[in-house]
Amino acid sequence: MTPESQASEALPSRRSRALRGGRHRGDESFLLPPGSPALVLAVPGPASGQAGAVAGELARAVELENTGQPALVASLGGGPEGLGAVLSRLAPARPDEPAAVVVPLVTGPDPAIMSVVSAAVATAPVPVVAADPLGPHPLIAEALHDRLAEAGLARADRIRMMTMVTEAGGVVVAPPGDQAAVRQAEITSVLLASRLACPVFTAPLDDEAALRGAADQLRASGVRTVALAPHLIGPEVSPDRIARAAVAVGGTAAAPLGAHPALARLAALRYAEALAAALR
């Protein structure tokens, strides 16, 4: 049984998972009945520009591919589309349930972001539950693999019948944040190494010395080419930070995860887990 299935089976019977056919429906769906608590994607920064575009695309994928119900987007930057304002406009459909589950749109634990989410949840005028960040999870490794393959830096998933064969001999996974973020990303690195059958190291995105050190270790082990895999969605950092990190490892960077379908599946999963825990 997959983690997604375990989470969905933990929900009360009226929220049990049902699979819906059709080419736009994934293998794992968390179909929600009308009146279910809202799923709110909490976006670092303003809910406009690139951040808003990525979040909006993920929200649509959450609805169409996973839950069957609209997902809301809220900014952690405040304003009328800020998380506090969005939560203040909600009301629970049933007295024994929360009005919303807030899913932080980050790939791993980030103390600064989680503190903003916790404060908004604690001060909301209605009962609200905060979910865990999207990662670590095997689906993050799947998404990183896809981005590397799209850039010609890794063999693509054979199950998808893709034929790209250009590949890096080693990969440096680079998360934003401190050593705690690196430790979380190391879990994903192990999973990615298993998928790629090549060595994968982890180093902070903004620590050029650590990035160079990771690349040097890869080359010392016989690796000839090194790729950078940004362990992030994208809007939370500027593109030049990724470019500098690629220079530090002496290789090419894959694109950020962006609105990868795996992240929409993870958002639905984190929602299901948090709601199951709240309704116990």
Side-chain angles (χ1 to χ4, degrees):
M1 181 177 290
T2 65
E4 293 92 331
S5 299
Q6 291 173 355
S8 61
E9 292 298 331
L11 293 174
S13 58
R14 59 190 173 88
R15 275 185 175 73
S16 60
R17 179 173 59 84
L19 296 180
R20 185 181 294 178
R23 67 183 178 90
H24 297 297
R25 183 67 52 179
D27 292 336
E28 293 292 341
S29 300
F30 303 87
L31 300 187
L32 305 175
S36 296
L39 191 163
V40 180
L41 295 176
V43 185
S48 60
Q50 183 191 9
V54 171
E57 190 172 345
L58 283 171
R60 288 189 292 275
V62 168
E63 175 184 356
L64 295 175
E65 302 290 343
N66 295 276
T67 67
Q69 297 294 323
L72 305 178
V73 175
S75 166
L76 296 181
E81 298 306 317
L83 181 57
V86 170
L87 295 179
S88 70
R89 296 195 289 266
L90 300 177
R94 302 180 181 90
D96 60 338
E97 295 183 353
V101 175
V102 178
V103 180
L105 201 56
V106 289
T107 54
D110 184 311
I113 289 174
M114 295 308 296
S115 66
V116 175
V117 171
S118 298
V121 167
T123 58
V126 291
V128 179
V129 176
D132 290 334
L134 302 184
H137 192 276
L139 285 173
I140 299 289
E142 175 186 319
L144 288 173
H145 185 172
D146 283 350
R147 294 299 183 236
L148 287 164
E150 289 165 2
L153 300 170
R155 293 185 184 275
D157 190 343
R158 293 179 182 177
I159 295 176
R160 301 185 184 185
M161 303 302 291
M162 295 171 70
T163 58
M164 195 175 298
V165 296
T166 304
E167 58 187 318
V171 176
V172 177
V173 169
D178 56 13
Q179 285 301 317
V182 172
R183 287 192 293 273
Q184 292 290 335
E186 283 173 347
I187 299 172
T188 303
S189 294
V190 171
L191 297 168
L192 182 61
S194 176
R195 294 178 64 93
L196 299 178
C198 77
V200 177
F201 284 16
T202 314
L205 182 71
D206 292 317
D207 189 336
E208 294 186 15
L211 290 165
R212 285 194 297 271
D216 289 345
Q217 290 184 66
L218 285 169
R219 292 188 174 96
S221 68
V223 168
R224 298 181 62 184
T225 56
V226 177
L228 181 79
H231 191 277
L232 48 89
I233 297 170
E236 63 269 46
V237 305
S238 60
D240 65 302
R241 288 170 63 183
I242 297 175
R244 289 196 301 268
V247 170
V249 302
T252 303
L257 298 176
H260 192 284
L263 301 188
R265 291 170 62 191
L266 273 175
L269 170 61
R270 296 309 186 208
Y271 170 97
E273 291 172 338
L275 185 56
L279 296 180
R280 286 185 186 136

PDB file of all heavy atoms in Angstrom, residues 37-59:
ATOM      1  N   PRO A  37     -13.655  20.747   4.111  1.00  0.00           N
ATOM      2  CA  PRO A  37     -12.802  21.887   4.454  1.00  0.00           C
ATOM      3  C   PRO A  37     -11.981  22.329   3.249  1.00  0.00           C
ATOM      4  O   PRO A  37     -11.513  21.506   2.460  1.00  0.00           O
ATOM      5  CB  PRO A  37     -11.915  21.334   5.574  1.00  0.00           C
ATOM      6  CG  PRO A  37     -12.748  20.259   6.208  1.00  0.00           C
ATOM      7  CD  PRO A  37     -13.505  19.627   5.068  1.00  0.00           C
ATOM      8  N   ALA A  38     -11.787  23.610   3.120  1.00  0.00           N
ATOM      9  CA  ALA A  38     -11.039  24.153   1.990  1.00  0.00           C
ATOM     10  C   ALA A  38      -9.576  23.735   2.069  1.00  0.00           C
ATOM     11  O   ALA A  38      -8.999  23.637   3.151  1.00  0.00           O
ATOM     12  CB  ALA A  38     -11.150  25.667   1.977  1.00  0.00           C
ATOM     13  N   LEU A  39      -8.989  23.485   0.915  1.00  0.00           N
ATOM     14  CA  LEU A  39      -7.553  23.262   0.814  1.00  0.00           C
ATOM     15  C   LEU A  39      -6.931  24.582   0.377  1.00  0.00           C
ATOM     16  O   LEU A  39      -7.226  25.092  -0.699  1.00  0.00           O
ATOM     17  CB  LEU A  39      -7.234  22.161  -0.191  1.00  0.00           C
ATOM     18  CG  LEU A  39      -5.808  21.616  -0.248  1.00  0.00           C
ATOM     19  CD1 LEU A  39      -5.782  20.277  -0.993  1.00  0.00           C
ATOM     20  CD2 LEU A  39      -4.817  22.581  -0.900  1.00  0.00           C
ATOM     21  N   VAL A  40      -6.083  25.150   1.247  1.00  0.00           N
ATOM     22  CA  VAL A  40      -5.467  26.449   0.983  1.00  0.00           C
ATOM     23  C   VAL A  40      -3.964  26.253   0.793  1.00  0.00           C
ATOM     24  O   VAL A  40      -3.270  25.772   1.691  1.00  0.00           O
ATOM     25  CB  VAL A  40      -5.719  27.432   2.138  1.00  0.00           C
ATOM     26  CG1 VAL A  40      -5.070  28.784   1.834  1.00  0.00           C
ATOM     27  CG2 VAL A  40      -7.211  27.599   2.389  1.00  0.00           C
ATOM     28  N   LEU A  41      -3.475  26.602  -0.391  1.00  0.00           N
ATOM     29  CA  LEU A  41      -2.040  26.553  -0.655  1.00  0.00           C
ATOM     30  C   LEU A  41      -1.421  27.858  -0.178  1.00  0.00           C
ATOM     31  O   LEU A  41      -1.768  28.938  -0.662  1.00  0.00           O
ATOM     32  CB  LEU A  41      -1.784  26.373  -2.152  1.00  0.00           C
ATOM     33  CG  LEU A  41      -2.263  25.061  -2.782  1.00  0.00           C
ATOM     34  CD1 LEU A  41      -2.009  25.093  -4.287  1.00  0.00           C
ATOM     35  CD2 LEU A  41      -1.568  23.866  -2.152  1.00  0.00           C
ATOM     36  N   ALA A  42      -0.499  27.764   0.789  1.00  0.00           N
ATOM     37  CA  ALA A  42       0.164  28.941   1.338  1.00  0.00           C
ATOM     38  C   ALA A  42       1.455  29.186   0.575  1.00  0.00           C
ATOM     39  O   ALA A  42       2.385  28.376   0.620  1.00  0.00           O
ATOM     40  CB  ALA A  42       0.447  28.747   2.819  1.00  0.00           C
ATOM     41  N   VAL A  43       1.517  30.310  -0.151  1.00  0.00           N
ATOM     42  CA  VAL A  43       2.622  30.606  -1.052  1.00  0.00           C
ATOM     43  C   VAL A  43       3.593  31.589  -0.404  1.00  0.00           C
ATOM     44  O   VAL A  43       3.174  32.667   0.022  1.00  0.00           O
ATOM     45  CB  VAL A  43       2.095  31.219  -2.366  1.00  0.00           C
ATOM     46  CG1 VAL A  43       3.223  31.411  -3.360  1.00  0.00           C
ATOM     47  CG2 VAL A  43       1.001  30.358  -2.954  1.00  0.00           C
ATOM     48  N   PRO A  44       4.880  31.265  -0.320  1.00  0.00           N
ATOM     49  CA  PRO A  44       5.850  32.241   0.172  1.00  0.00           C
ATOM     50  C   PRO A  44       5.879  33.463  -0.748  1.00  0.00           C
ATOM     51  O   PRO A  44       5.912  33.328  -1.965  1.00  0.00           O
ATOM     52  CB  PRO A  44       7.182  31.484   0.112  1.00  0.00           C
ATOM     53  CG  PRO A  44       6.808  30.036   0.138  1.00  0.00           C
ATOM     54  CD  PRO A  44       5.498  29.950  -0.592  1.00  0.00           C
ATOM     55  N   GLY A  45       5.844  34.641  -0.152  1.00  0.00           N
ATOM     56  CA  GLY A  45       5.865  35.857  -0.953  1.00  0.00           C
ATOM     57  C   GLY A  45       4.488  36.225  -1.466  1.00  0.00           C
ATOM     58  O   GLY A  45       3.474  35.665  -1.064  1.00  0.00           O
ATOM     59  N   PRO A  46       4.419  37.164  -2.397  1.00  0.00           N
ATOM     60  CA  PRO A  46       3.127  37.640  -2.917  1.00  0.00           C
ATOM     61  C   PRO A  46       2.467  36.607  -3.830  1.00  0.00           C
ATOM     62  O   PRO A  46       3.145  35.833  -4.494  1.00  0.00           O
ATOM     63  CB  PRO A  46       3.506  38.894  -3.701  1.00  0.00           C
ATOM     64  CG  PRO A  46       4.924  38.652  -4.120  1.00  0.00           C
ATOM     65  CD  PRO A  46       5.559  37.895  -2.993  1.00  0.00           C
ATOM     66  N   ALA A  47       1.133  36.605  -3.834  1.00  0.00           N
ATOM     67  CA  ALA A  47       0.382  35.685  -4.696  1.00  0.00           C
ATOM     68  C   ALA A  47       0.184  36.312  -6.066  1.00  0.00           C
ATOM     69  O   ALA A  47      -0.918  36.346  -6.614  1.00  0.00           O
ATOM     70  CB  ALA A  47      -0.958  35.347  -4.059  1.00  0.00           C
ATOM     71  N   SER A  48       1.255  36.819  -6.642  1.00  0.00           N
ATOM     72  CA  SER A  48       1.204  37.418  -7.973  1.00  0.00           C
ATOM     73  C   SER A  48       2.511  37.098  -8.674  1.00  0.00           C
ATOM     74  O   SER A  48       3.427  36.520  -8.088  1.00  0.00           O
ATOM     75  CB  SER A  48       1.004  38.937  -7.869  1.00  0.00           C
ATOM     76  OG  SER A  48       2.072  39.525  -7.150  1.00  0.00           O
ATOM     77  N   GLY A  49       2.624  37.488  -9.940  1.00  0.00           N
ATOM     78  CA  GLY A  49       3.852  37.223 -10.671  1.00  0.00           C
ATOM     79  C   GLY A  49       4.098  35.732 -10.823  1.00  0.00           C
ATOM     80  O   GLY A  49       3.167  34.926 -10.932  1.00  0.00           O
ATOM     81  N   GLN A  50       5.377  35.355 -10.817  1.00  0.00           N
ATOM     82  CA  GLN A  50       5.737  33.950 -11.009  1.00  0.00           C
ATOM     83  C   GLN A  50       5.186  33.075  -9.901  1.00  0.00           C
ATOM     84  O   GLN A  50       4.681  31.972 -10.143  1.00  0.00           O
ATOM     85  CB  GLN A  50       7.246  33.803 -11.082  1.00  0.00           C
ATOM     86  CG  GLN A  50       7.688  32.354 -11.349  1.00  0.00           C
ATOM     87  CD  GLN A  50       9.178  32.145 -11.163  1.00  0.00           C
ATOM     88  OE1 GLN A  50       9.875  33.038 -10.676  1.00  0.00           O
ATOM     89  NE2 GLN A  50       9.662  30.984 -11.547  1.00  0.00           N
ATOM     90  N   ALA A  51       5.270  33.560  -8.653  1.00  0.00           N
ATOM     91  CA  ALA A  51       4.774  32.773  -7.535  1.00  0.00           C
ATOM     92  C   ALA A  51       3.292  32.477  -7.690  1.00  0.00           C
ATOM     93  O   ALA A  51       2.830  31.347  -7.485  1.00  0.00           O
ATOM     94  CB  ALA A  51       5.036  33.508  -6.222  1.00  0.00           C
ATOM     95  N   GLY A  52       2.511  33.509  -8.065  1.00  0.00           N
ATOM     96  CA  GLY A  52       1.083  33.308  -8.235  1.00  0.00           C
ATOM     97  C   GLY A  52       0.756  32.398  -9.398  1.00  0.00           C
ATOM     98  O   GLY A  52      -0.176  31.588  -9.329  1.00  0.00           O
ATOM     99  N   ALA A  53       1.541  32.492 -10.480  1.00  0.00           N
ATOM    100  CA  ALA A  53       1.294  31.646 -11.648  1.00  0.00           C
ATOM    101  C   ALA A  53       1.539  30.180 -11.323  1.00  0.00           C
ATOM    102  O   ALA A  53       0.734  29.309 -11.675  1.00  0.00           O
ATOM    103  CB  ALA A  53       2.179  32.085 -12.813  1.00  0.00           C
ATOM    104  N   VAL A  54       2.644  29.901 -10.640  1.00  0.00           N
ATOM    105  CA  VAL A  54       2.946  28.523 -10.266  1.00  0.00           C
ATOM    106  C   VAL A  54       1.900  27.991  -9.297  1.00  0.00           C
ATOM    107  O   VAL A  54       1.390  26.876  -9.444  1.00  0.00           O
ATOM    108  CB  VAL A  54       4.356  28.427  -9.649  1.00  0.00           C
ATOM    109  CG1 VAL A  54       4.598  27.038  -9.043  1.00  0.00           C
ATOM    110  CG2 VAL A  54       5.416  28.720 -10.700  1.00  0.00           C
ATOM    111  N   ALA A  55       1.562  28.787  -8.276  1.00  0.00           N
ATOM    112  CA  ALA A  55       0.569  28.359  -7.303  1.00  0.00           C
ATOM    113  C   ALA A  55      -0.788  28.133  -7.953  1.00  0.00           C
ATOM    114  O   ALA A  55      -1.505  27.174  -7.631  1.00  0.00           O
ATOM    115  CB  ALA A  55       0.458  29.380  -6.186  1.00  0.00           C
ATOM    116  N   GLY A  56      -1.169  29.025  -8.884  1.00  0.00           N
ATOM    117  CA  GLY A  56      -2.446  28.852  -9.565  1.00  0.00           C
ATOM    118  C   GLY A  56      -2.490  27.582 -10.387  1.00  0.00           C
ATOM    119  O   GLY A  56      -3.508  26.877 -10.412  1.00  0.00           O
ATOM    120  N   GLU A  57      -1.395  27.279 -11.064  1.00  0.00           N
ATOM    121  CA  GLU A  57      -1.348  26.049 -11.855  1.00  0.00           C
ATOM    122  C   GLU A  57      -1.424  24.817 -10.958  1.00  0.00           C
ATOM    123  O   GLU A  57      -2.112  23.839 -11.276  1.00  0.00           O
ATOM    124  CB  GLU A  57      -0.068  26.021 -12.686  1.00  0.00           C
ATOM    125  CG  GLU A  57      -0.034  24.907 -13.724  1.00  0.00           C
ATOM    126  CD  GLU A  57       1.152  25.006 -14.664  1.00  0.00           C
ATOM    127  OE1 GLU A  57       1.798  26.072 -14.716  1.00  0.00           O
ATOM    128  OE2 GLU A  57       1.424  23.997 -15.346  1.00  0.00           O
ATOM    129  N   LEU A  58      -0.730  24.872  -9.826  1.00  0.00           N
ATOM    130  CA  LEU A  58      -0.804  23.754  -8.892  1.00  0.00           C
ATOM    131  C   LEU A  58      -2.209  23.616  -8.309  1.00  0.00           C
ATOM    132  O   LEU A  58      -2.708  22.498  -8.123  1.00  0.00           O
ATOM    133  CB  LEU A  58       0.218  23.928  -7.771  1.00  0.00           C
ATOM    134  CG  LEU A  58       1.663  23.607  -8.132  1.00  0.00           C
ATOM    135  CD1 LEU A  58       2.607  24.023  -7.019  1.00  0.00           C
ATOM    136  CD2 LEU A  58       1.825  22.111  -8.431  1.00  0.00           C
ATOM    137  N   ALA A  59      -2.848  24.743  -8.010  1.00  0.00           N
ATOM    138  CA  ALA A  59      -4.209  24.691  -7.475  1.00  0.00           C
ATOM    139  C   ALA A  59      -5.157  24.026  -8.463  1.00  0.00           C
ATOM    140  O   ALA A  59      -6.017  23.215  -8.075  1.00  0.00           O
ATOM    141  CB  ALA A  59      -4.689  26.098  -7.124  1.00  0.00           C
TER     142      ALA A  59
END
